[in-house]
Amino acid sequence: MKAKRLWNERTRLILIMELAIVLPAAVLVILSATHLKHIQRDRGVEALFQREFGEALAISEKRLNHKAYELMDDVRKDFPAPGNACSGNLDRILAGHPYVAHVFLYTPEGGIVFRSQPYRLQDSGFHQEAEYLSTMFAGWFKVDFSDMTEKLTKLQKKGTPYYFDGTWSPRGDKRVYQTIAIFPTIDEKTGTKALAGIAFDGDYLRDQFFPQMLNEVMSRNVAEAQTDKNTVIMVHGKSESSPLAACDGWDGGTPEVERNMEAVFPGLALGIKLRGTTLAAIGQHFFRSSFLTLAGLSLVLACGIALTYRNVSKEMALARLKSDFVSNVSHELRTPLSLIRLYAETLEMGRLTNPEKYQEYYCIIRKESERLTALINNILDFSRIEAGRKEYDFRETDLRELVRNTLDSYRYQIEQHGFTYEEKIDEVPPVRVDREAIPGKAVNSPLPCRWIQHRTKPQQQQHNVGGGVGNGSHSGCSSGENKIWRAPDGQNPDCRRRTGHGRRFAR
């Protein structure tokens, strides 16, 4: 019943431990693993990066457009009225704004006045570009002037001052991207309506505007923690994969996220990626790291469970030892107290007639009192040893005398059980020992009887000690337990046992 009760108590404690610690932790690990699988299935990490990249591209395009509007406004304020438009006025605009390749003004009455950077016209490719644009806009405005004027007027009322047209103009054996801003203008004196246009230089856009603005945009995005410092951005044509311009650090490859630039730079697209890696690789690294972390947490959890189980088992074993200790202490104290009470009652009742018996009983009471004191001291020493406060007093000691005195305390019990007690202690040199600790060890050694069996004929109990404490022979004793039993008078004692004298208190 005791074993079953302990097993049930252990089971209960382990079950409580699992419900309080293991179960929540296991549920957390399982839910985390399931959540990671859902993220992996839905490509959640990549979607998160793509969303952040999309927001970064929107901000970047807005800043590029803002800069382009500033440059256009700076040119527009110098534009002459339709009645004053001439080659000289337009050439002065070109001279003051070198990033402008061409300017023009169209009226239905006078046609188109188209001017290009004079110092660039010596280049055959640039001259070809100027002729191409002049012919294209003259033909376009001749057909759609009214519709275009009405459309631009409505855009201005909505807060959009320009209409941008992106084109890939031929320049020699290559094509150059240009964006052309078109806006309506009117002569306040005559009321003449006209369409004006400003074309950015393609080389300026490719070599200066886009690289400078992309670097500035990325620096601000990183400073404002909108993108990672390894993020790079570039501009390319919608139908082309190679970049038209890129920020510093662009290492090639395919952009992870793209955004069409429809407002100021139609026909171009912004692309963004991480330098040296891809979103797919980042997602795989994230999942590997997360699963490894969960595996580590599971291992730590398992180790914690094992450690907790071990500690619980140790505490339960310690509780059992404490319970046994209390039981043993009770019995160990009961034995000398019973003897003291027995002989004290005998003396009190005056049944003794021989004076020598009085002296013998007094001696027995004194020795049992000393043994009781020794038991109590052993208990106190046990507590000090457990607390690590036990101090030993080492002095030169005659072991023969110390062992003889210890054995004499058992002489009466041995003789009362029908044994003849003899001792033979060889010469032992003095040694430095603790006089209080050694008797306790001697009591728990094979020298005293742990088991005393009564037989019909008296037995002889002989202890031979040579070369120090601990080498002895004994008959009628068993070294298995600390047990002594006294049979009632007239009864044949046969191998019965009772708890004896203090073995469990020594260490």
Side-chain angles (χ1 to χ4, degrees), residues 203-229:
D203 292 339
Y204 168 76
L205 291 177
R206 183 189 66 233
D207 300 332
Q208 297 184 43
F209 179 81
F210 282 128
Q212 293 176 2
M213 286 303 301
L214 292 178
N215 287 328
E216 180 182 340
V217 164
M218 291 309 301
S219 298
R220 292 185 62 178
N221 288 345
V222 172
E224 296 172 4
Q226 294 174 347
T227 56
D228 187 82
K229 63 181 181 179

Side-chain angles (χ1 to χ4, degrees), residues 315-496:
E315 291 298 326
M316 293 180 64
L318 181 60
R320 290 195 298 270
L321 289 176
K322 290 180 179 180
S323 178
D324 294 341
F325 177 79
V326 173
S327 299
N328 291 330
V329 166
S330 301
H331 190 78
E332 296 288 347
L333 295 176
R334 190 182 300 117
T335 301
L337 287 174
S338 299
L339 291 175
I340 292 173
R341 180 179 178 181
L342 173 65
Y343 289 106
E345 288 179 352
T346 303
L347 291 172
E348 182 182 13
M349 294 172 66
R351 294 180 177 179
L352 300 179
T353 57
N354 189 349
E356 295 180 356
K357 283 291 184 179
Y358 278 96
Q359 189 63 32
E360 179 183 352
Y361 279 28
Y362 291 145
C363 182
I364 291 172
I365 293 174
R366 178 183 59 81
K367 288 186 177 182
E368 291 300 323
S369 300
E370 291 175 354
R371 190 155 67 90
L372 182 61
T373 302
L375 290 175
I376 295 174
N377 289 334
N378 282 339
I379 297 173
L380 297 177
D381 287 342
F382 176 77
S383 300
R384 295 189 189 101
I385 292 172
E386 287 293 320
R389 301 195 307 268
K390 173 62 178 175
E391 296 181 359
Y392 295 92
D393 182 16
F394 294 96
R395 292 179 293 176
E396 293 288 339
T397 304
D398 185 356
L399 288 183
R400 296 177 60 192
E401 178 184 358
L402 185 61
V403 172
R404 183 180 295 110
N405 292 336
T406 302
L407 295 176
D408 283 344
S409 63
Y410 289 90
R411 181 187 300 275
Y412 178 77
Q413 287 85 356
I414 293 174
E415 291 177 349
Q416 287 296 313
H417 288 83
F419 288 86
T420 301
Y421 182 86
E422 294 181 6
E423 64 182 37
K424 182 180 179 182
I425 305 177
D426 296 338
E427 188 70 25
V428 180
V431 293
R432 289 179 59 82
V433 297
D434 188 317
R435 295 183 60 87
E436 296 182 358
I438 288 297
K441 295 296 183 181
V443 167
N444 293 282
S445 70
L447 291 175
C449 291
R450 307 306 196 279
W451 294 51
I452 298 180
Q453 298 182 349
H454 293 269
R455 307 185 185 276
T456 55
K457 294 182 179 180
Q459 303 290 325
Q460 183 180 35
Q461 179 74 15
Q462 180 177 354
H463 290 276
N464 298 320
V465 180
V469 179
N471 299 325
S473 63
H474 58 278
S475 61
C477 296
S478 170
S479 61
E481 294 185 32
N482 184 16
K483 307 288 184 178
I484 292 181
W485 180 72
R486 179 175 181 179
D489 295 337
Q491 194 178 47
N492 183 18
D494 193 6
C495 299
R496 297 207 177 192

Side-chain angles (χ1 to χ4, degrees), residues 157-347:
K157 292 180 178 180
K158 293 180 179 179
T160 304
Y162 303 102
Y163 170 81
F164 288 92
D165 179 55
T167 181
W168 291 86
S169 303
R171 184 178 290 183
D173 57 351
K174 60 182 180 180
R175 294 196 310 156
V176 178
Y177 177 81
Q178 289 181 306
T179 182
I180 302 168
I182 303 172
F183 56 93
T185 182
I186 187 170
D187 192 331
E188 295 181 356
K189 294 182 180 180
T190 62
T192 303
K193 295 181 178 180
L195 291 176
I198 305 169
F200 276 115
D201 184 16
D203 292 339
Y204 168 76
L205 291 177
R206 183 189 66 233
D207 300 332
Q208 297 184 43
F209 179 81
F210 282 128
Q212 293 176 2
M213 286 303 301
L214 292 178
N215 287 328
E216 180 182 340
V217 164
M218 291 309 301
S219 298
R220 292 185 62 178
N221 288 345
V222 172
E224 296 172 4
Q226 294 174 347
T227 56
D228 187 82
K229 63 181 181 179
N230 292 320
T231 304
V232 288
I233 191 171
M234 65 89 155
V235 177
H236 68 93
K238 288 183 179 180
S239 59
E240 298 183 5
S241 59
S242 59
L244 174 66
C247 69
D248 295 338
W250 180 266
D251 57 352
T254 304
E256 297 287 354
V257 180
E258 295 184 351
R259 178 183 176 87
N260 293 329
M261 303 172 69
E262 300 294 347
V264 179
F265 303 99
L268 295 183
L270 284 172
I272 191 170
K273 66 184 287 289
L274 287 173
R275 183 171 54 241
T277 185
T278 62
L279 294 185
I282 292 176
Q284 292 299 323
H285 176 72
F286 171 77
F287 293 122
R288 284 195 299 268
S289 301
S290 300
F291 280 117
L292 287 176
T293 302
L294 287 179
L297 290 176
S298 300
L299 180 61
V300 172
L301 178 62
C303 294
I305 294 171
L307 183 61
T308 305
Y309 176 80
R310 179 174 176 269
N311 291 337
V312 169
S313 300
K314 288 180 63 177
E315 291 298 326
M316 293 180 64
L318 181 60
R320 290 195 298 270
L321 289 176
K322 290 180 179 180
S323 178
D324 294 341
F325 177 79
V326 173
S327 299
N328 291 330
V329 166
S330 301
H331 190 78
E332 296 288 347
L333 295 176
R334 190 182 300 117
T335 301
L337 287 174
S338 299
L339 291 175
I340 292 173
R341 180 179 178 181
L342 173 65
Y343 289 106
E345 288 179 352
T346 303
L347 291 172

Side-chain angles (χ1 to χ4, degrees), residues 51 53 67 115 133 147 183 340 405 423 474 497:
R51 184 165 59 251
F53 282 173
K67 182 64 175 179
R115 300 299 294 174
L133 292 177
D147 294 339
F183 56 93
I340 292 173
N405 292 336
E423 64 182 37
H474 58 278
R497 302 173 291 179

